[in-house]
Amino acid sequence: MSSKVIDAPRSNSAETPKYKRNKSSHSSFEMVAWLFMRVSGVVLVVLIFGHLFVNLMLGDGIHAIDFGFVAGKWSSPFWQIWDLAMLWLAMLHGTNGVRTIINDYAERNGTRMTLKTVLYIASAVIIVLGTLVIFTFDPCPAGAVIDLPSFCPVP
Amino acid sequence: MQVHKYDVIIVGAGGAGMRAAIEAGQNAHTAVLTKLYPTRSHTGAAQGGMCAALANVEEDNWEWHTFDTVKGGDYLVDQDAAEVMAKEAIDAVIDLEKMGLPFNRTPEGRIDQRRFGGHTRDHGKAPVRRSCYAADRTGHMILQTLYQNCVKHNVEFYNEYYVLDLLTVEEDATREDGTPYKQKRIAGVVSYDLATGELHVFQAKSVILATGGAGKVFKTTSNAHTLTGDGMGIAFRKGIPLEDMEFFQFHPTGLAGLGILLSEAARGEGAILRNSEGERFMERYAPTIKDLAPRDIVARSMANEVREGRGCGPNKDYVLLDLTHLEPAHIDAKLPDITEFARTYLGVEPYTEPVPVFPTAHYAMGGVPTNISAEVLQDNDTIIPGLYAAGEVACVSVHGSNRLGTNSLLDINVFGKRAGMAAAIYAKTAEFVELPESPEASTVALLDHVRTSDGGEKVALIRKDLQDTMDANMQVFRTAESIDRVLADIATFEERYSRITVQDKGKRFNLDLLEAVELGFLLELAKVMTVAALHRQESRGGHYREDFPDRDDENFMKHSMAYKDAAVSVESSAEHIAGIRLETKPVVVTRYQPMVRKY
Amino acid sequence: MPTKPAGTLYRGREGMWSWVGHRITGVVIFVFLLVHVLDTSLVRVSPEAYTAVIGAYKNPIMGLGEAALVAAIVFHAFNGLRIIAIDFWKKGPKYQRQMLWTVLIAWVVVMVPFLIRHLTIVFSNFFGGH
Amino acid sequence: MSPIETAETAPEPASKIELPAHVGGGGEIPTFDVTLRVRRYNPEYSEESTWEDFSMTMYGTDRVLDALHKVKWEQDGSLSFRRSCAHGVCGSDAMRINGRNRLACKTLLKDLDTSKPITVEPIKGLPVEKDLIVDMEPFFQSFREVMPFLVNRGHEPAKERLQSAEQRERFDDTTKCILCAACTSSCPVFWTDGQYFGPAAIVNAHRFIFDSRDDAGDMRLEILNDKEGVWRCRTTFNCTEACPRGIQVTQAIAEVKQAILARQV
Ligand SMILES: Cc1cc2nc3c(=O)[nH]c(=O)nc-3n(C[C@H](O)[C@H](O)[C@H](O)COP(=O)(O)OP(=O)(O)OC[C@H]3O[C@@H](n4cnc5c(N)ncnc54)[C@H](O)[C@@H]3O)c2cc1C
Ligand code: HEM
Ligand code: SF4
Ligand code: F3S
Ligand code: FES
């Protein structure tokens, strides 16, 4: 008979108080979130694959990407909306996904709250920032040192 | 030690206990004490069905059902009780349906019914469809449905509480004819909490025993490891008699070596039994109905084949159940469970290979004597107020010397309900009986003895030896010599039991300790069964004495009643066994006079 | 004091491992997305800053990282469709295993041409120089 | 299902047949040596849990439960585990055998790799009480919370309620549950915080939600629409693989999800 010490299993000690179910939520938020994950997922397949295809596969691949490339794209409302939709959907989808993961693994309510607050703030900042960038984007900024897209008026 | 107070305490959460709890729980302050989580009870293992003369698929009535029950029990059945059961069967099934039990349905949407051994139309004219069923999981569905309804009615359960003692007091009383006697009264129970090792005393006005059977006195059995006859043993130790303990049913088709049951439905579907020579031997024993003969006859025929050297396998100790001539699709549709058992446990593919089977100890016909209101009797006719028993632990007696298939699930529902109602009604008016001084004392002594005894004998070994000798000598064939062998063996086991050592000295989940306590009950019950079998010098139903192969209505058409009685010495006992006093009780006969039992 | 459950790893089957993969790829993509939005925002700051950062993407290490990211997205996307099929298609749960194999095959089918093209560009441009 | 046929309707079998040699006799049952590696834990003596090895010789028909019994009965009486029926119908002995949830009484030793020690541990996610015994209360509490009983508000008929064979078939699969907890304790989501209702509770809710006689489906769906309800399932299928009764657990959960969706929109 051999025996070696391993970690003790989860037990009913003071640290893990007697089983208690969280108060029920009485809202359909989780259902809506669940449904959103699927719907946004399907849409994202189109958006992201299109995005990747255009950015990485067409023309010169990743090496074609520079300021001019981006500016060229966003000068068309089509790509503006495309990228905007992608930004929002991917961010909401990803935020909700990470929220689920935090809910799963954060053991104490405090940790859970903190992590989720950080997550929401970060997501909000990114979404707002991204949106602003897409809408307020000026493809032909004044005083640029590098080559601007060809459609820009020559300064 | 803690003391709790309830109006009604139910011991056991099998079918009988929970059926009682549903009635009592709604009308009185009730708690159920059970050594297993309720859904682990062995009622869940029952396969075949529960019979009632619903007449959903063909003409039937409760009177025919009563007759079949009486005849099936070889006329040792109390006919008033059988009548009650057959009459109330219909409501019992409807009750379960209303509680949500998912019965199989007829094309019209009614509860479907099928045939089962011994159930006939018009007093034996032809088989009748009387068994209500839910696939081959009827017992499972009953247990689940009853538990679900206990949840619905908020029944209080104390799970993994082993009841180890009944608290009874004796009062002086006089009978109507002026003779004085000791009247037993029930005050409560003592139980052991498995999780903590603490004792809890439950004071109660009514106590219902529903602890199930005692199959573990045998080695090969369809019963669970936990069916150790606790309720019978506890009652017996308190001076309450045990009725008809010599009658134990052996089901013909248990998986060889394992005892796992293959339902009678297999033979109903056309499966047949063969010996090592490939011969369909039932043609010799029961030329007309062959493999569909009653359980006791088939079991004896199988044992005889093995005894005469026509058994199969390396040790020539089993016969074969042959389904290979049946269509695989048919087998799948009708017998999915048993074929799965054969595959899982023996690695045998029933489509192509015959399945090794041997009779398996199945059901205790005897038990704690009760009347038709489920009240426990302290002798032939004196009830113990407030003490009830129902289910396999009890002997009403509706099964006589041989229970018909599907009558037990019925028994637990009919008499479980009766016990629950009666217990609640009694508790409404009765006063608590004062607890005896230090009520837990004898339980503490019992546990201390088991815990501290240090003679080195192993509980498991004694139990195995007991089971071996019971299988070898007290199974389907019995003779005075074989019974004497068991009695001699038991004497040595008792001596060894006084020298056991329990390894686990802890308090938490000390199952080692409880197995030792359970062995105590098994030894006690084995002895009662054996002594009663020695006394009954006839063959009837499940009890077959080779030295007395015929039924003897003149001398033995009566129940046996075994009492624990320290005053009985070897010399004063007719059976030369100290400590057990055997008496008899007349059988209640209403309409059916004993006839020769043939099918 | 005992704290957490320990012992051997639960030996889940395809379903569990695909979920582990889905979860990990999800987080990876999310983290990348945060960074990606930030760097793209630099176009608003100045074309130079953007070009500088995008330049960093153009070395082979990042090229490989990019390939891994695409691999993660493709798996996450295909497996996401599988999950959706499990949820909404009646026979989804029954064929979940087969669908996982389909996902993996589709993943290979997409990744192989992509990698060939992507890695050639990454490496040829790096070594070939502009 | 149609009523059972009797021998008369089945083909009449031969009175005597030739049996192949291996069924008529002969053929030793193989024996082999196995080592069980059991995770022991008894807080009465130590808060640590340990692995302990037990070696023994077993037979071809033996199950893991037999091996555990052999240890308990012959080597170490303090080894504690639950069991009752010993043939897979009572749900007492779900445990983690070689890393997967199974019933000890339904797992034959010969089907495992006996060249290596067989690991046996308690099921995961429920508080361990001693050795292989866990506290089942959280599990049963979830079960009780989904209203696992028939609720019928209609007029009580004198006889049984009618239900067609198809209606009965609709929820047949989920009536098979023996509440063994193999599913719930195999679920990665349940392991995280034990708050998730778990597959077993959903299975038992499903059994009533889809019973044509029941009137409380809406209430059960509302309960499972909770944040700890069906939406926490990540379709990992561990439950379905673990279920000793072969219940299509994930499928049942999917059906409940759809029922909630259908009711809301
Ligand atoms: C394999 C098999 C198949 C069967 N098939 C059929 C069939 O098809 N039809 C039919 O009619 N009958 C059948 N039977 C018989 C029938 O199932 C049983 O006789 C019946 O279920 C017994 O029910 P019960 O409630 O009396 O006891 P059980 O269901 O055995 O319950 C006993 C209860 O008592 C508790 N208990 C025991 N001891 C103690 C103690 N010391 N302290 C506290 N609690 C205790 C246990 O925890 C348990 O809850 C079958 C039996 C078997 C074994
Ligand atoms: C490309 C198309 C995508 C599809 C089809 C898709 C699909 C899905 C689906 C169906 C889920 C739910 C899984 C479940 O409930 O078990 C999910 C979860 C998740 N997704 Fe996506 N997704 C896509 C893109 C993305 C992107 C771009 C991100 C990152 C921003 C992302 C991050 C996540 C995360 C973090 C989760 C949570 C994982 C978990 O809970 O285990 N997904 N995805
Ligand atoms: S669904 Fe299966 S695994 Fe889960 S508790 Fe029920 S029987 Fe056990
Ligand atoms: S294991 Fe858990 S995640 Fe869903 S599919 Fe089963 S409940
Ligand atoms: S002991 Fe009953 S399921 Fe294993």
Side-chain angles (χ1 to χ4, degrees):
Chain A
M1 268 195 271
S2 79
S3 65
K4 73 179 186 335
V5 176
I6 53 166
D7 286 348
R10 184 194 289 204
S11 147
N12 221 348
S13 64
E15 273 142 287
T16 50
K18 215 37 182 180
Y19 179 78
K20 237 175 71 224
R21 174 168 308 294
N22 292 336
K23 270 266 217 348
S24 93
S25 50
H26 289 301
S27 86
S28 288
F29 179 74
E30 292 298 333
M31 181 192 84
V32 173
W34 181 90
L35 202 55
F36 171 76
M37 289 305 269
R38 325 269 124 186
V39 174
S40 61
V42 173
V43 180
L44 277 170
V45 171
V46 179
L47 296 177
I48 293 183
F49 276 64
H51 175 81
L52 290 177
F53 190 74
V54 170
N55 286 22
L56 299 181
M57 293 296 276
L58 288 186
D60 221 1
I62 188 162
H63 284 275
I65 297 178
D66 56 14
F67 183 82
F69 178 83
V70 177
K73 260 179 108 183
W74 284 350
S75 61
S76 126
F78 176 79
W79 285 113
Q80 264 188 324
I81 290 177
W82 183 289
D83 281 8
L84 186 74
M86 192 166 68
L87 171 76
W88 276 75
L89 285 180
M91 280 307 296
L92 290 178
H93 177 105
T95 306
N96 188 49
V98 175
R99 179 188 69 94
T100 315
I101 297 175
I102 293 174
N103 277 345
D104 276 359
Y105 297 121
E107 291 213 346
R108 275 176 302 147
N109 282 339
T111 335
R112 201 172 275 188
M113 286 295 288
T114 321
L115 286 175
K116 282 202 276 189
T117 313
V118 172
L119 172 72
Y120 296 152
I121 293 174
S123 302
V125 167
I126 296 291
I127 292 176
V128 170
L129 181 71
T131 310
L132 284 177
V133 168
I134 293 175
F135 279 121
T136 63
F137 178 67
D138 176 2
C140 311
V145 203
I146 59 161
D147 293 345
L148 286 174
S150 52
F151 54 78
C152 282
V154 180
Chain B
M1 190 203 68
Q2 295 182 42
V3 181
H4 310 255
K5 237 174 158 170
Y6 284 92
D7 287 341
V8 179
I9 286 292
I10 299 171
V11 185
M18 291 204 285
R19 188 66 191 82
I22 290 170
E23 298 304 323
Q26 295 178 71
N27 299 304
H29 187 40
T30 304
V32 183
L33 310 187
T34 166
K35 73 177 182 180
L36 304 169
Y37 275 88
T39 53
R40 316 290 182 229
S41 305
H42 211 56
T43 295
Q47 303 164 353
M50 162 170 172
C51 56
L54 295 183
N56 271 2
V57 284
E58 57 183 315
E59 191 189 351
D60 196 6
N61 65 55
W62 62 262
E63 196 266 325
W64 296 348
H65 184 181
T66 312
F67 171 79
D68 291 335
T69 302
V70 171
K71 181 179 169 191
D74 222 349
Y75 296 93
L76 200 71
V77 171
D78 284 338
Q79 298 183 8
D80 54 341
E83 201 165 294
V84 163
M85 183 171 81
K87 256 192 220 168
E88 292 180 10
I90 297 160
D91 275 343
V93 168
I94 301 292
D95 279 354
L96 286 171
E97 197 281 334
K98 288 189 178 155
M99 287 185 206
L101 197 141
F103 283 108
N104 278 39
R105 300 288 170 157
T106 64
E108 301 80 47
R110 315 205 78 94
I111 297 170
D112 199 7
Q113 298 188 277
R114 65 181 174 198
R115 292 175 186 154
F116 230 83
H119 292 281
T120 66
R121 69 157 58 222
D122 197 8
H123 313 95
K125 298 240 162 63
V128 73
R129 291 185 180 144
R130 190 179 287 148
S131 161
C132 310
Y133 65 101
D136 45 5
R137 293 185 278 273
T138 317
H140 165 78
M141 299 297 193
I142 289 180
L143 191 70
Q144 295 289 331
T145 302
L146 292 175
Y147 181 58
Q148 289 156 0
N149 279 273
C150 286
V151 171
K152 183 173 183 174
H153 296 302
N154 253 317
V155 172
E156 258 184 87
F157 285 98
Y158 287 81
N159 295 328
E160 300 190 321
Y161 273 59
Y162 283 66
V163 170
L164 298 181
D165 196 11
L166 283 179
L167 296 170
T168 53
V169 294
E170 294 202 334
E171 289 170 358
D172 289 316
T174 33
R175 292 190 199 283
E176 274 168 26
D177 62 5
T179 46
Y181 74 105
K182 294 276 186 202
Q183 173 66 54
K184 285 187 198 300
R185 310 259 289 155
I186 182 83
V189 301
V190 182
S191 82
Y192 174 95
D193 176 7
L194 182 66
T196 61
E198 273 171 30
L199 289 182
H200 293 248
V201 170
F202 289 82
Q203 189 179 13
K205 295 175 183 168
S206 310
V207 171
I208 303 175
L209 288 176
T211 54
K216 277 289 153 181
V217 293
F218 293 94
K219 180 171 88 178
T220 310
T221 174
S222 65
N223 286 15
H225 283 288
T226 44
L227 285 177
T228 48
D230 304 8
M232 299 177 194
I234 292 165
F236 184 64
R237 287 179 185 172
K238 283 289 164 177
I240 296 167
L242 292 178
E243 183 174 346
D244 288 343
M245 289 298 283
E246 63 273 37
F247 296 106
F248 209 95
Q249 180 167 77
F250 296 89
H251 194 291
T253 51
L255 281 185
L258 299 170
I260 297 171
L261 193 76
L262 302 186
S263 168
E264 201 165 292
R267 278 168 294 133
E269 293 298 331
I272 57 165
L273 293 160
R274 296 188 187 280
N275 59 21
S276 62
E277 287 153 21
E279 182 203 359
R280 183 182 189 183
F281 58 83
M282 282 312 294
E283 289 177 335
R284 277 188 275 117
Y285 297 94
T288 40
I289 42 177
K290 299 171 190 158
D291 300 275
L292 282 169
R295 286 180 182 175
D296 50 340
I297 296 173
V298 179
R300 276 197 292 278
S301 311
M302 292 165 71
N304 196 49
E305 287 299 300
V306 165
R307 196 161 61 166
E308 292 178 358
R310 290 186 295 275
C312 310
N315 304 319
K316 298 196 154 297
D317 57 356
Y318 55 76
V319 297
L320 300 167
L321 182 68
D322 184 3
L323 297 85
T324 54
H325 54 284
L326 302 175
E327 283 296 319
H330 183 70
I331 296 178
D332 281 349
K334 298 298 176 72
L335 308 164
D337 256 33
I338 73 144
T339 39
E340 193 203 311
F341 290 150
R343 276 182 212 116
T344 311
Y345 294 111
L346 292 182
V348 168
E349 175 48 70
Y351 296 158
T352 54
E353 280 174 85
V355 183
V357 290
F358 200 68
T360 182
H362 187 54
Y363 186 85
M365 265 77 73
V368 178
T370 67
N371 61 18
I372 53 173
S373 310
E375 291 165 307
V376 172
L377 303 170
Q378 68 176 46
D379 53 37
N380 283 6
D381 35 39
T382 314
I383 64 158
I384 305 174
L387 184 59
Y388 304 83
E392 199 169 333
V393 68
C395 179
V396 192
S397 120
V398 283
H399 307 307
S401 60
N402 175 53
R403 170 176 74 86
L404 284 191
T406 70
N407 257 355
S408 171
L409 291 178
L410 178 58
D411 172 6
I412 62 179
N413 276 288
V414 167
F415 292 101
K417 179 176 179 180
R418 284 185 156 237
M421 292 197 321
I425 291 171
Y426 177 79
K428 279 242 174 341
T429 54
E431 298 293 323
F432 281 102
V433 173
E434 199 148 333
L435 289 175
E437 192 124 331
S438 54
E440 77 289 7
S442 64
T443 314
V444 171
L446 170 79
L447 292 173
D448 277 353
H449 166 73
V450 174
R451 210 192 307 259
T452 53
S453 154
D454 197 17
E457 281 286 348
K458 276 194 150 71
V459 168
L461 269 183
I462 304 176
R463 185 176 51 217
K464 181 179 172 300
D465 290 346
L466 170 70
Q467 292 170 340
D468 282 343
T469 187
M470 288 296 281
D471 263 25
N473 300 308
M474 271 286 285
Q475 223 211 17
V476 297
F477 293 115
R478 299 164 176 183
T479 62
E481 294 84 71
S482 76
I483 296 172
D484 279 335
R485 271 200 294 277
V486 179
L487 286 171
D489 284 344
I490 289 179
T492 68
F493 301 151
E494 284 173 335
E495 189 276 327
R496 282 166 66 192
Y497 184 68
S498 69
R499 292 188 285 112
I500 52 169
T501 298
V502 167
Q503 272 178 293
D504 193 339
K505 305 288 183 197
K507 287 202 159 297
R508 288 172 79 91
F509 291 93
N510 193 339
L511 287 155
D512 208 20
L513 179 74
L514 286 156
E515 279 192 24
V517 173
E518 288 169 343
L519 175 61
F521 295 131
L522 290 178
L523 282 171
E524 198 116 44
L525 296 177
K527 191 161 158 185
V528 175
M529 288 177 190
T530 319
V531 174
L534 185 62
H535 180 81
R536 187 173 287 275
Q537 300 183 335
E538 64 156 354
S539 291
R540 183 189 293 271
H543 171 72
Y544 187 80
R545 284 281 297 262
E546 283 184 278
D547 38 1
F548 301 95
D550 297 315
R551 196 172 83 190
D552 177 358
D553 287 340
E554 202 165 313
N555 295 308
F556 291 104
M557 174 77 177
K558 46 199 171 189
H559 301 293
S560 66
M561 301 284 273
Y563 294 80
K564 189 175 176 86
D565 187 348
V568 175
S569 64
V570 174
E571 296 75 40
S572 68
S573 151
E575 293 77 28
H576 304 293
I577 293 299
I580 296 178
R581 174 163 49 89
L582 277 183
E583 294 184 4
T584 60
K585 183 170 105 175
V587 175
V588 180
V589 177
T590 55
R591 340 177 167 209
Y592 310 107
Q593 287 306 315
M595 296 186 299
V596 181
R597 174 167 165 260
K598 66 172 200 277
Y599 286 88
Chain C
M1 283 310 263
T3 43
K4 55 178 186 296
T8 61
L9 202 61
Y10 193 87
R11 277 178 56 219
R13 310 263 300 244
E14 294 87 340
M16 181 174 109
W17 296 117
S18 70
W19 161 76
V20 170
H22 195 81
R23 186 157 266 201
I24 292 173
T25 52
V27 176
V28 167
I29 304 166
F30 183 70
V31 172
F32 165 79
L33 184 61
L34 293 182
V35 178
H36 187 52
V37 173
L38 283 177
D39 65 50
T40 307
S41 306
L42 290 174
V43 294
R44 190 71 190 83
V45 179
S46 77
E48 294 75 23
Y50 181 74
T51 308
V53 171
I54 217 67
Y57 281 105
K58 294 182 183 170
N59 82 50
I61 306 286
M62 288 310 277
L64 286 177
E66 205 135 69
L69 182 73
V70 171
I73 293 180
V74 174
F75 173 78
H76 188 97
F78 287 175
N79 192 53
L81 295 176
R82 165 177 162 269
I83 294 172
I84 294 169
I86 291 169
D87 289 329
F88 294 106
W89 176 38
K90 235 179 131 188
K91 297 204 173 124
K94 191 167 160 206
Y95 292 113
Q96 60 100 1
R97 215 182 300 266
Q98 288 87 328
M99 288 196 296
L100 180 64
W101 296 123
T102 315
V103 164
L104 293 178
I105 292 168
W107 182 80
V108 171
V109 168
V110 171
M111 284 311 288
V112 167
F114 167 77
L115 285 179
I116 293 175
R117 165 148 172 87
H118 179 74
L119 294 181
T120 0
I121 297 176
V122 169
F123 286 98
S124 67
N125 283 339
F126 182 72
F127 295 112
H130 242 317
Chain D
M1 246 196 262
S2 56
I4 278 218
E5 294 169 43
T6 53
E8 288 98 72
T9 54
E12 183 64 18
S15 286
K16 193 157 177 171
I17 56 165
E18 281 301 312
L19 288 173
H22 70 279
V23 287
E28 253 346 272
I29 303 169
T31 66
F32 43 78
D33 293 329
V34 292
T35 302
L36 279 198
R37 177 164 294 168
V38 186
R39 200 162 83 186
R40 306 293 307 270
Y41 172 68
N42 186 350
E44 266 181 283
Y45 302 114
S46 161
E47 286 293 343
E48 305 287 344
S49 70
T50 53
W51 288 109
E52 192 166 339
D53 284 6
F54 301 95
S55 297
M56 68 212 93
T57 303
M58 302 298 295
Y59 291 89
T61 53
D62 283 337
R63 299 153 265 177
V64 172
L65 181 64
D66 296 306
L68 288 169
H69 270 146
K70 208 170 166 79
V71 172
K72 185 173 181 66
W73 293 342
E74 294 173 17
Q75 302 188 20
D76 183 349
S78 70
L79 179 68
S80 302
F81 51 89
R82 294 192 178 102
R83 49 73 178 128
S84 183
C85 71
H87 66 287
V89 297
C90 77
S92 298
D93 57 347
M95 50 187 79
R96 196 140 51 106
I97 298 168
N98 279 351
R100 280 192 187 135
N101 281 1
R102 297 151 165 278
L103 296 178
C105 65
K106 243 190 148 178
T107 309
L108 268 77
L109 290 167
K110 71 171 172 55
D111 297 337
L112 302 171
D113 177 4
T114 48
S115 65
K116 286 188 296 196
I118 296 166
T119 61
V120 182
E121 306 158 78
I123 48 178
K124 222 170 138 138
L126 291 161
V128 180
E129 299 269 17
K130 179 181 177 189
D131 294 344
L132 303 171
I133 296 179
V134 298
D135 183 0
M136 295 290 284
E137 257 326 293
F139 174 80
F140 278 104
Q141 184 170 335
S142 292
F143 168 75
R144 289 192 294 262
E145 277 174 45
V146 300
M147 306 173 58
F149 40 77
L150 192 79
V151 178
N152 195 293
R153 296 183 222 289
H155 165 72
E156 277 266 295
K159 290 204 87 185
E160 73 261 42
R161 292 201 171 80
L162 299 185
Q163 179 170 56
S164 73
E166 296 72 49
Q167 289 170 327
R168 166 68 180 75
E169 186 57 27
R170 180 68 191 84
F171 61 99
D172 186 62
D173 200 35
T174 43
T175 62
K176 294 190 255 168
C177 176
I178 53 174
L179 296 171
C180 67
C183 54
T184 296
S185 64
S186 76
C187 175
V189 179
F190 182 76
W191 299 332
T192 59
D193 60 359
Q195 292 282 325
Y196 173 38
F197 272 88
I202 302 173
V203 159
N204 283 280
H206 178 284
R207 180 245 169 277
F208 288 99
I209 292 167
F210 293 96
D211 187 334
S212 59
R213 299 168 296 172
D214 183 83
D215 288 335
D218 260 355
M219 291 164 80
R220 286 187 204 94
L221 294 176
E222 182 56 42
I223 293 168
L224 290 175
N225 192 20
D226 187 77
K227 64 179 184 305
E228 310 297 350
V230 286
W231 310 116
R232 281 197 78 178
C233 168
R234 304 253 79 81
T235 53
T236 66
F237 287 89
N238 277 6
C239 51
T240 307
E241 316 264 11
C243 180
R245 302 286 280 184
I247 298 172
Q248 293 306 307
V249 183
T250 313
Q251 167 104 47
I253 298 173
E255 287 171 7
V256 173
K257 285 174 183 165
Q258 273 157 27
I260 298 180
L261 284 174
R263 160 177 169 273
Q264 300 267 324
V265 294

